[in-house]
């Protein structure tokens, strides 16, 4: 009956005095490629962490395919694959070891784990670093192995926080094609990003966050209204270019 | 630069006084003040002819404390070289600046308080010695702090392979143990602070930098101003030397150590618990800080049981295994803390909390139980007599079971925020901050948990009742199994219910 991959209602988080996320409502239709954009500190990471069960909200609910993340975490977490931004991983395992470990931790059969790990490492071009620990991975490799671990459980929804940050163009192309194929195959993706052209290229639905609020959301063409996403974004978050008088000492 | 860094450190210190860190700092203050109080009491209560000896001993302990303290996880949250990487500073400016910043903290404050015993000693000897005491005291504190930082920096430089991580633990284990046990031995020789220190020990202690302030004060009281000047020059020279060494060590940032994984041999864990166990065992063999702390426990305990051989006491030998496990719990109890934010992987694997805890417990047992059993067997054979057997056999299953329970309990309930593995180095001196609280808690908790068996052993020994002594073994077995399971259960429940909160504390 439900067709929403992710539904956030009244989700709120305070850090001391600061309201990081202020009662946001957000609906991600199943099968959509959803982009969450916003300036630094807008609350994107906080909102996504609450949505997948990593950060307990002060108020509000998060549902993945109709299952409440905080009431029925076990059922909800089976449906989602997550790529968090800047968190550690099981650093002292190699990529293959970590995926094997995570596959078994997720309760997948050993044979399934072995074949999926093989395939993921090959597709993401990580199979040449067989003896390198995650700790020694470059920033781009870290993103790719994190994506592999998000895909491993065969989720219906992917929640990706800044998946393209520090990723080289070749790897970015690989990741993009994997995500596109995932959506074509019936999966849903939520990703956060700073890079507007990328969101325009990939996503069919967007939401703009600013200072803990969702200031615009909907199909990308509706939100854009015939302009570029960049222009709309800057107008919405009210950023201005530096005045000529400012920083006059710079390179003078 | 010092003028900027000192207020900065002060702000860092003030802002970091929250949560576990505040508790650690408070316990640090209490322990430090207790140490300072002891120093003052020993100096003041000792008779006039013995005060010098007492001072020589206590100042030597402060020197030892400053050198080994940071490696035991006693360092404070502070400024690091990495924070200033992009500020254009010469190495010397950096060293002087960081030394200034290091002056702001609990350690220097309590050391200064303890050092006032030097002034007391000078007052007692001769009024003319007081200005000398006032001069050498701050110099001495400066020297301790500079030396301590040189040690931490050089350990970071040396510690770059598994072998060096293990080898570095050897002098530390021996030093810390001598600090704890050596005191007892000196007391045994001298008959406590009531007796004067034997001249041959006092002479050696006067030669160490920790003895120089005492030498200067005594020289001033005798009117030997040339010696006073020489000692002051020596202190200043040593500080300059330590600073120069520090500047040299700061010059080149340490390259991250590359530890390679083993060749893939088709690892297929049968269950989720087995997967965690495999992950943990691999981590134990590849994390230099974990290796260091584990070997440290082993060396400490070996020193502890072998030292009494000097006075032909072999009674401790059969207990080596028990002591090793007891010590290893505290020095390994930071499992989740040192994994840092990697906890999200467990939290997002539905229902994996049980596997996480049980797997960690089993991996740890696999790691410590074989050497513990071997130590016990070898120790018992070496000792020869059977009198210690009920103690060793009666406590080993308990410390193993309770230890594996306590390990995960502490890990989940007492998180300490450290930099994530991919953002930190391999230096236990710089990255092991705040683990000392865990070590102490684990030691005390184990003594409490072992109380039933200990009671049987003690009463059995007092009444010379063999049956009562051996009754401790089944009690220990039952208690060990129960605590392994029960404390693990508590950790699982906590992780399941409050996992996100734990992640927030670690992030």
């Amino acid at each position: 009956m439900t067709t929403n991959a992710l539904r956030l209602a009244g989700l709120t988080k305070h850090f001391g005095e600061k309201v990081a996320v202020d009662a946001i409502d957000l609906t991600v239709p199943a099968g959509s490629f959803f982009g969450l954009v916003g300036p630094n500190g807008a609350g994107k990471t906080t909102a996504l962490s609450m949505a997948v069960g990593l950060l307990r909200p002060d108020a509000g609910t998060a549902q993945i395919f109709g299952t409440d993340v905080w009431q029925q975490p076990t059922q909800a977490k089976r449906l989602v694959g997550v790529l968090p931004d800047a968190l550690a991983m099981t650093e002292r395992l190699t990529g293959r070891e970590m995926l094997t470990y995570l596959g078994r931790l997720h309760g997948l059969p050993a044979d399934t784990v072995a074949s999926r790990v093989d395939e993921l490492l090959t597709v993401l071009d990580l199979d040449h670093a067989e003896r390198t620990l995650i700790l020694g991975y470059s920033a781009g490799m870290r993103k790719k192995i994190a994506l592999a671990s998000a895909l491993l459980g065969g989720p219906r929804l992917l929640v990706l926080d800044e998946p393209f940050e520090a990723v080289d163009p070749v790897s970015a192309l690989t990741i993009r094609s994997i995500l596109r194929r995932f959506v074509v195959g019936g999966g849903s993706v939520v990703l956060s990003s700073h890079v507007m052209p990328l969101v325009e290229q990939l996503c069919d639905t967007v939401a703009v966050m600013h200072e803990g609020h969702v200031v615009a959301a909907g199909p990308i063409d509706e939100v854009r209204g015939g302009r570029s996403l960049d222009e709309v974004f800057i107008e919405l978050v009210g950023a201005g270019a530096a005045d000529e008088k400012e920083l006059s000492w710079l390179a003078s | 630069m010092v003028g900027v860094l000192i207020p900065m450190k002060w702000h860092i210190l003030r802002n970091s006084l929250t949560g576990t860190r505040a508790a650690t700092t408070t316990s640090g203050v209490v322990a430090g003040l207790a140490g300072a109080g002891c120093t003052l009491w020993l100096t003041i209560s000792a008779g006039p002819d013995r005060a010098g000896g007492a001072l020589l001993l206590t100042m030597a302990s402060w020197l030892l404390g400053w050198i080994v303290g940071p490696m035991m996880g006693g360092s404070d949250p502070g400024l690091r070289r990495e924070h200033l990487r992009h500020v254009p500073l010469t190495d010397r400016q950096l060293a002087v600046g960081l030394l200034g910043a290091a002056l702001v903290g609990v350690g220097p404050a309590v050391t200064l308080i303890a050092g006032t015993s030097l002034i007391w000693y000078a007052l007692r000897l001769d009024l003319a010695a007081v200005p000398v005491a006032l001069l050498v005291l701050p110099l001495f504190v400066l020297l301790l702090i500079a030396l301590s930082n040189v040690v931490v920096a050089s350990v970071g430089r040396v510690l770059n392979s598994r072998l060096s991580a293990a080898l570095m633990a050897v002098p530390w284990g021996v030093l810390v143990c001598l600090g704890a046990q050596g005191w007892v031995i000196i007391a045994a020789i001298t008959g406590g602070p009531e007796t004067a220190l034997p001249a041959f020990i006092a002479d050696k202690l006067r030669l160490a930098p920790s003895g120089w302030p005492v030498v200067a004060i005594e020289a001033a009281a005798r009117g030997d101003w040339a010696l006073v000047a020489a000692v002051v020059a020596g202190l200043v020279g040593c500080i300059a030397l330590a600073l120069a060494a520090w500047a040299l060590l700061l010059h080149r940032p340490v390259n991250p150590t590359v530890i390679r994984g083993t060749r893939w041999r088709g690892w297929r864990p049968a269950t989720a618990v087995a997967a965690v166990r495999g992950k943990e065992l691999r981590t134990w063999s590849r994390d230099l800080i974990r290796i260091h702390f584990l070997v440290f426990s082993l060396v400490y305990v070996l020193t502890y049981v072998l030292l009494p051989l000097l006075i032909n006491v072999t009674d401790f030998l059969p207990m080596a295994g028990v002591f090793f496990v007891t010590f290893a719990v505290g020095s390994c109890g930071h499992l989740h803390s040192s994994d840092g934010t990697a906890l999200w992987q467990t939290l997002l694997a539905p229902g994996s909390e049980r596997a996480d805890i049980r797997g960690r417990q089993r991996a740890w047992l696999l790691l410590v139980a074989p050497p513990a059993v071997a130590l016990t067997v070898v120790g018992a054979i070496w000792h020869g007599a059977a009198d210690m057997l009920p103690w060793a056999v009666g406590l080993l299953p308990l410390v193993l079971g309770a230890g594996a329970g306590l390990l995960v309990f502490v890990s989940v309930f007492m998180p300490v925020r450290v930099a994530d593995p991919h953002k930190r180095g391999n230096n236990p001196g710089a990255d092991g901050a705040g683990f000392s609280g865990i070590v102490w808690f684990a030691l005390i908790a184990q003594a409490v948990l072992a109380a039933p068996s200990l009671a049987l052993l003690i009463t059995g020994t007092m009444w010379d009742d063999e049956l009562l002594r051996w009754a401790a073994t089944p009690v220990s077995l039952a208690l060990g199994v129960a605590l392994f399971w029960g404390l693990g259960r508590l950790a699982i429940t906590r992780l399941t219910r409050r996992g996100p909160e734990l992640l927030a504390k670690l992030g």
Side-chain angles (χ1 to χ4, degrees):
Chain A
M1 156 215 131
T2 173
T3 50
N4 290 328
L6 182 68
R7 214 177 94 80
L8 311 180
L11 216 51
T12 304
K13 187 72 193 178
H14 300 258
F15 291 119
E17 297 284 293
K18 191 179 182 301
V19 187
V21 171
D22 194 359
I24 59 163
D25 298 309
L26 208 60
T27 303
V28 176
S32 66
F33 205 133
F34 191 98
L36 184 60
V37 298
N40 293 328
K44 301 187 297 288
T45 298
T46 308
L48 292 182
S49 301
M50 290 192 285
V52 299
L54 287 179
L55 180 67
R56 201 182 301 277
D58 293 335
T61 57
Q63 293 181 339
I64 294 174
F65 291 102
T67 310
D68 193 297
V69 173
W70 291 96
Q71 300 296 325
Q72 297 163 281
T74 308
Q75 290 88 323
K77 284 171 186 173
R78 281 191 209 289
L79 303 168
V80 64
V82 181
L83 184 159
D85 186 31
L87 293 189
M89 285 176 274
T90 313
E91 303 283 339
R92 285 184 172 84
L93 297 188
T94 66
R96 190 180 291 275
E97 287 170 346
M98 184 182 82
L99 292 181
T100 305
Y101 155 70
L102 286 176
R104 295 300 282 146
L105 205 59
H106 279 260
L108 299 174
D111 290 334
T112 314
V113 173
S115 63
R116 280 190 194 174
V117 169
D118 249 343
E119 223 176 323
L120 281 167
L121 290 177
T122 313
V123 171
L124 286 164
D125 195 27
L126 289 168
D127 47 357
H128 58 278
E130 281 291 356
R131 288 188 60 193
T132 311
L133 305 186
I134 308 280
L135 194 62
Y137 272 22
S138 67
M141 287 167 81
R142 291 183 73 86
K143 287 284 180 197
K144 288 201 283 185
I145 197 73
L147 180 66
S149 65
L151 293 168
L152 184 65
R156 289 172 63 195
L157 167 70
L158 279 176
V159 176
L160 316 171
D161 198 359
E162 303 280 359
F164 293 100
E165 209 174 50
V167 174
D168 68 84
V170 180
S171 304
L173 197 68
T174 316
I175 296 180
R176 279 213 298 262
S177 71
I178 291 173
L179 296 183
R180 279 217 185 90
R181 230 184 308 157
F182 178 72
V183 173
V184 169
S188 316
V189 174
V190 178
L191 68 82
S192 75
S193 181
H194 295 295
V195 190
M196 298 302 149
L198 187 113
V199 173
E200 278 181 305
Q201 234 178 46
L202 282 176
C203 301
D204 48 49
T205 322
V206 289
V208 183
M209 274 192 82
H210 183 45
E211 292 176 350
H213 297 272
V214 174
V215 290
I220 191 156
D221 291 327
E222 256 176 51
V223 172
R224 274 194 300 203
R227 293 183 293 167
S228 81
L229 190 58
D230 243 342
E231 284 175 85
V232 178
F233 177 78
I234 286 167
E235 188 184 296
L236 280 169
V237 306
D243 197 276
E244 255 180 46
K245 278 190 214 124
E246 289 168 337
L247 306 184
S248 58
W249 46 268
L250 200 61
S252 59
Chain B
M1 188 39 60
V2 186
V4 180
L5 293 184
I6 290 178
M8 193 164 149
K9 171 71 183 291
W10 176 243
H11 284 294
I12 291 177
L13 211 59
R14 247 190 5 201
N15 291 335
S16 62
L17 276 181
T18 49
T20 316
R21 183 74 88 186
T24 315
T25 308
T26 314
S27 57
V29 172
V30 172
L33 283 177
C38 270
T39 307
L40 282 166
W41 176 76
L42 278 173
T43 327
I44 295 166
S45 68
D49 53 328
R50 281 142 205 179
L55 254 183
L56 284 172
L57 270 182
T58 49
M59 290 298 123
S61 339
W62 282 93
L63 174 67
L64 195 67
W66 270 98
I67 290 176
V68 298
M71 307 313 296
M72 290 293 297
S75 70
D76 58 354
L79 278 169
R80 295 223 216 154
R81 192 218 180 285
E82 293 81 48
H83 297 155
L84 303 167
R85 191 178 293 152
H86 299 294
V87 186
L89 290 173
T90 64
D91 299 328
R92 183 162 312 176
Q93 279 175 315
L94 195 62
V96 173
L98 288 177
L99 178 67
L103 289 177
V104 182
V106 176
V110 293
T111 311
L112 208 57
I113 294 174
T116 52
S117 52
L118 288 170
I119 301 170
W120 178 263
Y121 183 55
L123 259 172
R124 199 181 241 190
L125 287 182
D126 193 294
L127 214 54
V130 174
V132 175
L134 287 173
L135 177 65
V136 292
L137 171 57
L139 286 177
F140 181 56
V141 175
L142 266 177
L143 179 63
L144 290 185
I145 296 165
L147 278 180
S148 168
N149 278 293
V150 169
V151 169
V152 171
S154 29
V155 168
R157 178 73 21 118
V158 177
L159 207 73
N160 55 11
S161 71
R162 285 176 245 209
L163 184 65
S164 66
L167 287 179
M168 271 309 292
V170 175
W172 254 258
V174 174
L175 268 180
V176 175
C177 190
L178 284 178
Q181 280 276 84
W183 175 268
V184 179
I185 286 183
I186 290 177
I189 298 169
T190 64
E194 299 309 313
T195 340
L197 205 59
F200 71 97
I201 296 181
D203 286 348
K204 302 282 183 308
L205 287 176
R206 278 198 171 80
L207 289 178
S210 58
W212 297 355
V214 180
V215 172
I217 290 166
E218 286 169 351
R222 289 195 308 267
D224 185 353
W225 294 102
L227 187 56
V228 173
V231 169
V232 170
L235 279 172
V236 172
C238 272
I239 294 170
L241 214 64
L243 271 182
W246 195 11
L248 207 67
L249 288 163
L250 290 171
H251 181 66
R252 197 162 43 97
V254 185
N255 289 326
T257 309
V258 182
I259 303 267
R260 308 276 290 164
T262 43
R263 210 160 45 80
W264 179 256
R265 288 198 198 87
W267 180 41
R268 280 195 177 202
T271 59
V273 175
V276 175
R277 194 186 61 209
K279 181 260 292 181
E280 277 293 295
L281 285 175
R282 283 171 171 77
T283 305
W284 275 110
S285 72
R286 294 170 188 173
D287 183 338
L288 298 189
I289 295 185
R290 285 199 193 198
I291 294 173
H292 178 85
F293 276 123
L294 202 63
V295 177
F296 176 88
S297 310
L298 190 63
V299 173
Y300 181 93
V301 168
L302 284 178
T303 315
Y304 192 90
V305 299
L306 292 176
L307 209 56
L309 288 180
L310 290 176
I311 43 173
N312 290 324
V313 172
T314 55
D315 297 38
F316 288 125
L317 292 172
M319 299 303 287
V322 172
F323 291 160
F324 167 60
V325 177
T326 310
F327 213 74
V329 177
S331 47
C332 300
H334 48 76
L335 294 173
H336 287 94
S337 300
S338 63
D339 284 354
T341 54
L343 182 64
W344 72 270
Q345 295 187 310
T346 307
L347 296 185
L348 286 182
S352 66
E353 290 86 356
R354 190 190 150 270
D356 181 75
I357 297 297
R358 296 301 184 204
R360 285 178 195 267
Q361 285 185 297
R362 288 181 196 187
W364 184 80
L365 275 183
L366 280 175
L367 206 66
V368 299
V373 172
L375 282 173
T376 309
V377 171
V378 172
I381 294 171
W382 191 344
H383 178 52
D387 58 334
M388 291 306 290
L389 266 186
W391 285 79
V393 177
L395 287 175
L396 194 58
L398 176 61
V399 289
L400 281 170
L406 202 58
L407 177 83
V408 288
F409 179 86
V410 166
S411 179
V412 170
F413 281 86
M414 294 178 72
V416 178
R417 183 179 297 185
V418 289
D420 266 345
H422 61 296
K423 293 175 186 158
R424 67 170 184 239
N426 285 315
N427 191 343
D431 304 303
F435 292 158
S436 49
I438 291 179
V439 176
W440 289 113
F441 175 82
L443 283 175
I444 294 164
Q446 288 200 92
V448 173
L449 293 175
S453 302
L454 278 175
L456 283 172
L457 286 165
I458 292 169
T459 42
T461 306
M462 273 175 12
W463 297 348
D464 201 15
D465 185 338
E466 191 78 355
L467 196 68
L468 210 52
R469 264 183 285 168
W470 279 108
T473 304
V475 170
S476 278
L477 261 173
L479 213 56
V481 172
L483 287 168
F484 174 91
W485 186 85
L487 289 172
R489 189 71 246 166
L490 283 176
I492 294 168
T493 310
R494 174 75 170 189
L495 193 57
T496 312
R497 297 213 183 125
R498 311 290 291 170
E501 282 72 15
L502 179 59
L503 176 63
K505 279 192 186 131
L506 297 174

